[in-house]
Amino acid sequence: MLSKITLCFCVILLFGCNSKAQQESSENKTKKYTVQKTETQWKAELNDLEYYVLRQAGTEKAFSSPLDSFYESGTYHCGACGVLLYKSQHKFDSDTGWPSFDRGENKNLEFDTDYKIGYPRIELKCANCGSHLGHLFDDGPMDTTGKRHCINGAALSFKPVKNE
């Protein structure tokens, strides 16, 4: 009797468990972005690191981006399509090795869930072209939003404030 229960439990466990780490959202597969390009076009426009981060959802090495410890006044834009994502006044030193912001231009950001490392994280993407930017965490400055937009420097382009 015990072996039948054990066998039944194993069958349920084997076929009943469905790992989200191996699934992609069907919504994201069919989502249409304002900027649409083929992978060949993206590869021609982006350098190897930019392509890896923006189009393959990779992560650059911590402390490798010059934008990590960069604090000039200006705006940060998507490195793939140029849409405004962040303002310099919302950038802070998180000491994590990646540029960090406590908020962004929400209309230009897409918040998605990824399971690539086995548990859910909020992935940040450009809402204009679908490029991967980084992730959102709840360990940002408590005196502002409490959020940390942890962004790959390779996913950003900086535009300085123009003095007029």
Side-chain angles (χ1 to χ4, degrees):
M1 178 73 176
L2 183 59
S3 65
K4 286 184 180 181
I5 292 172
T6 304
L7 179 61
C8 185
F9 176 75
C10 289
V11 169
I12 290 170
L13 186 63
L14 181 64
F15 293 104
C17 290
N18 190 1
S19 172
K20 291 189 178 203
Q22 301 299 318
Q23 296 177 355
E24 282 187 50
S25 167
S26 60
E27 176 185 322
N28 289 335
K29 284 183 180 180
T30 59
K31 177 155 182 167
K32 297 291 183 194
Y33 295 99
T34 303
V35 174
Q36 299 260 333
K37 296 182 183 182
T38 66
E39 290 309 303
T40 302
Q41 290 171 314
W42 286 121
K43 282 182 182 180
E45 293 178 17
L46 303 170
N47 68 37
D48 290 343
L49 179 60
E50 291 167 340
Y51 183 80
Y52 170 68
V53 169
L54 290 159
R55 304 308 305 166
Q56 297 181 311
T59 301
E60 67 192 1
K61 291 180 183 175
F63 301 101
S64 66
S65 172
L67 292 178
D68 179 36
S69 57
F70 181 83
Y71 292 97
E72 291 186 20
S73 294
T75 54
Y76 294 84
H77 299 255
C78 176
C81 72
V83 73
L84 173 65
L85 299 172
Y86 297 98
K87 295 178 181 172
S88 60
Q89 62 262 39
H90 303 299
K91 189 170 190 287
F92 68 97
D93 183 6
S94 65
D95 200 32
T96 60
W98 292 278
S100 296
F101 304 84
D102 68 353
R103 69 195 82 168
E105 298 296 310
N106 280 349
K107 68 179 188 245
N108 296 334
L109 294 171
E110 179 180 329
F111 300 82
D112 197 4
T113 304
D114 89 42
Y115 297 90
K116 292 178 187 131
I117 60 173
Y119 61 88
R121 294 184 298 171
I122 298 173
E123 179 183 12
L124 294 164
K125 296 180 180 179
C126 174
N128 196 46
C129 68
S131 291
H132 171 78
L133 304 170
H135 291 89
L136 179 66
F137 300 99
D138 289 325
D139 59 1
M142 294 313 295
D143 60 332
T144 61
T145 64
K147 302 291 183 190
R148 175 172 55 98
H149 292 230
C150 183
I151 307 299
N152 290 282
L156 300 172
S157 65
F158 177 77
K159 293 185 181 177
V161 170
K162 294 181 181 175
N163 295 328
E164 298 182 15

